[in-house]
């Protein structure tokens, strides 16, 4: 459905025709105006008219309708198409959720398509309407502001993931938490969330590099104002820091998982040694009792009055010696 449709002239929202086709014609007659249409999860039928009026490429339209796209930048004859994946993070459940924003910009128009609940387009529109100097630069300003908002939220999510990872690390290596049977699954689940975050941030690096004019041969992207390149370069720098932070989080989670598994192996070895030590201590009296439990008539010390207490004392002495030996070697 169409969430909002507005004409912006000289950086300010103005009244215009209700029909977006007439609005586009009006904007093309005025050099300082453009129309911005925002849609939320449109159906194919709803999007057909937009496609026809704005001359959108069918491949880009297919991507915008189906969603589930990687971040990318495509240049067509009559428009520029960009896909971004805004993300949200719920610290209580440790779940990263991703939405999608598709942006078409062309001659005097911007069409944005939102999928999911994580897209910040409403806030972006309000921000731009309070910054007429920025909005005066036309569709390029809209594309820049959307990319800037998405990447800035990446920074916040990366910080939250880092904080939660520190808590997970402290819990994993605590005396109680590290021995839980669910610890490994918690670490792996956290790694899955980082992977989901990485799918949104990683592929976006190349599109922003192209928009910043630092891509292949430094060729300027059509429909993007040349003076906007330093601004996209700033967004690209922020994204680079986010990707470095995500890479560090991913390595740290892998290291925590490996350390936890090694810790569990050491604990299992300690348990086996303790069991072996107690088994060895129990073997001595069992052996002696087994020998004297045989039904032979001629055995030494059977009729000696002090044989029983001496035997018990001997077994106790051997047990004490074994206990001190195992204790000194750290087996008990």
């Amino acid at each position: 459905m169409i969430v909002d449709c507005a004409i912006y002239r000289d950086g300010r929202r103005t009244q215009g025709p209700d029909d977006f086709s007439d609005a586009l014609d009006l904007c093309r007659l005025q050099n300082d105006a453009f129309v911005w249409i925002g849609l939320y999860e449109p159906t194919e039928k709803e999007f057909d008219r937009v496609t026809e009026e704005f001359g959108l490429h069918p491949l880009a339209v297919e991507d915008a309708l189906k969603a589930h796209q990687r971040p990318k930048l495509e240049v067509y004859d009559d428009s520029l198409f960009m896909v971004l994946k805004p993300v949200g993070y719920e610290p209580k459940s440790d779940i990263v959720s991703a939405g999608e924003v598709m942006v078409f910009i062309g001659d005097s128009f911007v069409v944005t398509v939102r999928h999911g609940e994580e897209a910040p387009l409403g806030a972006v529109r309000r921000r731009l309407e309070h910054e007429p100097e920025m909005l005066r630069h036309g569709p390029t300003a809209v594309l820049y502001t959307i990319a800037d908002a998405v990447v800035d939220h990446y920074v916040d999510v990366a910080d939250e993931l880092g904080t939660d990872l520190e808590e997970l690390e402290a819990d994993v290596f605590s005396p109680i938490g590290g021995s839980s049977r669910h610890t490994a699954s918690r670490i792996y689940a956290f790694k899955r969330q980082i992977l989901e975050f990485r799918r949104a941030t990683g592929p976006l690096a190349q599109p922003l590099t192209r928009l910043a004019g630092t891509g292949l041969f430094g060729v300027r992207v059509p429909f993007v104002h040349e003076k906007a390149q330093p601004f996209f370069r700033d967004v690209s720098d922020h994204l680079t820091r986010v990707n470095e932070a995500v890479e560090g989080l991913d390595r740290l989670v892998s290291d925590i998982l490996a350390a936890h598994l090694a810790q569990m192996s050491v604990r299992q070895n300690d348990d086996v040694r303790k069991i072996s030590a107690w088994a060895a201590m129990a073997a001595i009296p069992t052996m002696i009792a087994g020998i004297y439990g045989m039904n032979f008539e001629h055995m030494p010390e059977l009729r000696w009055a002090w044989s029983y207490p001496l035997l018990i004392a001997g077994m106790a002495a051997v047990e004490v010696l074994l206990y001190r030996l195992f204790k000194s070697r750290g087996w008990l």
Side-chain angles (χ1 to χ4, degrees):
M1 64 178 178
I2 296 179
V3 177
D4 200 354
C5 177
I7 294 176
Y8 296 91
R9 183 180 181 183
D10 194 28
R12 298 187 182 279
R13 184 166 182 155
T14 61
Q15 294 294 329
D18 294 332
D19 184 84
F20 60 78
S21 178
D22 295 335
L24 178 62
D25 293 336
L26 178 63
C27 290
R28 283 175 172 167
L29 294 174
Q30 302 171 347
N31 294 329
D32 58 349
F34 70 95
V35 59
W36 180 1
I37 298 178
L39 300 101
Y40 175 70
E41 297 184 357
T43 63
E44 184 175 353
K45 184 178 180 180
E46 291 172 335
F47 207 53
D48 281 344
R49 190 181 172 202
V50 177
T51 302
E52 181 181 354
E53 294 294 337
F54 290 90
L56 305 180
H57 197 278
L59 292 178
V61 170
E62 181 181 0
D63 290 344
L65 290 173
K66 290 185 177 180
H68 303 293
Q69 305 295 318
R70 297 174 74 250
K72 62 180 180 179
L73 179 68
E74 300 286 350
V75 179
Y76 299 102
D77 293 336
D78 300 322
S79 62
L80 179 74
F81 176 62
M82 187 172 184
V83 179
L84 303 100
K85 293 180 73 70
V87 299
Y89 180 61
E90 179 54 51
K92 293 182 179 180
S93 57
D94 294 340
I95 293 178
V96 173
S97 56
E100 289 188 41
V101 174
M102 286 78 169
V103 184
F104 296 86
I105 67 172
D107 179 22
S108 302
F109 71 85
V110 178
V111 177
T112 54
V113 181
R114 178 167 64 95
H115 292 269
E117 301 298 328
E118 304 302 334
L121 295 186
V124 168
R125 191 185 287 264
R126 289 190 296 271
R127 170 185 167 185
L128 282 171
E129 289 178 353
H130 285 85
E131 297 180 9
E133 289 297 325
M134 174 71 73
L135 195 56
R136 190 172 287 120
H137 292 87
T140 300
V142 176
L143 180 62
Y144 159 72
T145 308
I146 292 174
D148 185 53
V150 169
V151 173
D152 281 349
H153 194 57
Y154 286 166
V155 176
D156 297 336
V157 172
D159 291 341
E160 292 176 354
L161 283 170
T163 301
D164 285 356
L165 182 58
E166 291 177 359
E167 296 176 358
L168 177 61
E169 183 181 15
D171 187 45
V172 165
F173 292 106
S174 66
I176 300 177
S179 60
S180 173
R181 68 177 66 182
H182 302 296
T183 300
S185 61
R186 287 179 57 205
I187 299 173
Y188 184 75
F190 198 88
K191 187 176 179 66
R192 291 276 302 185
Q193 301 310 312
I194 293 177
L195 177 61
E196 183 69 24
F197 187 33
R198 207 169 170 180
R199 287 173 180 164
T201 63
L204 186 58
Q206 185 177 5
L208 286 179
T209 299
R210 291 178 61 189
L211 290 171
T214 56
L216 185 62
F217 307 119
V219 178
R220 185 176 71 86
V221 177
F223 306 105
V224 175
H225 200 283
E226 187 175 359
K227 292 184 179 180
Q229 289 182 348
F231 295 93
F232 284 110
R233 196 174 302 128
D234 180 67
V235 178
S236 180
D237 290 342
H238 291 174
L239 181 65
T240 299
R241 290 198 292 270
V242 170
N243 282 329
E244 290 174 351
V246 173
E247 185 72 24
L249 290 173
D250 187 58
R251 287 198 302 267
L252 185 56
V253 171
S254 298
D255 292 343
I256 291 174
L257 180 59
H260 170 68
L261 295 177
Q263 187 182 44
M264 294 299 294
S265 178
V266 169
R267 287 178 178 173
Q268 289 176 354
N269 290 338
D270 288 341
D271 292 340
V272 170
R273 285 191 300 178
K274 289 179 181 180
I275 294 172
S276 300
W278 287 111
M281 293 173 61
I284 298 300
T286 301
M287 180 189 68
I288 297 174
I291 292 174
Y292 281 90
M294 296 180 182
N295 295 321
F296 292 111
E297 183 177 353
H298 301 287
M299 291 185 68
E301 295 89 24
L302 284 179
R303 300 185 181 279
W304 187 32
W306 294 99
S307 60
Y308 177 73
L310 184 61
L311 192 60
I312 296 298
M315 287 191 291
V318 172
E319 292 296 303
V320 171
L321 290 174
L322 288 176
Y323 180 82
R324 296 187 62 180
L325 176 64
F326 292 141
K327 190 73 174 177
S328 64
R329 295 186 177 183
W331 286 35
L332 292 174

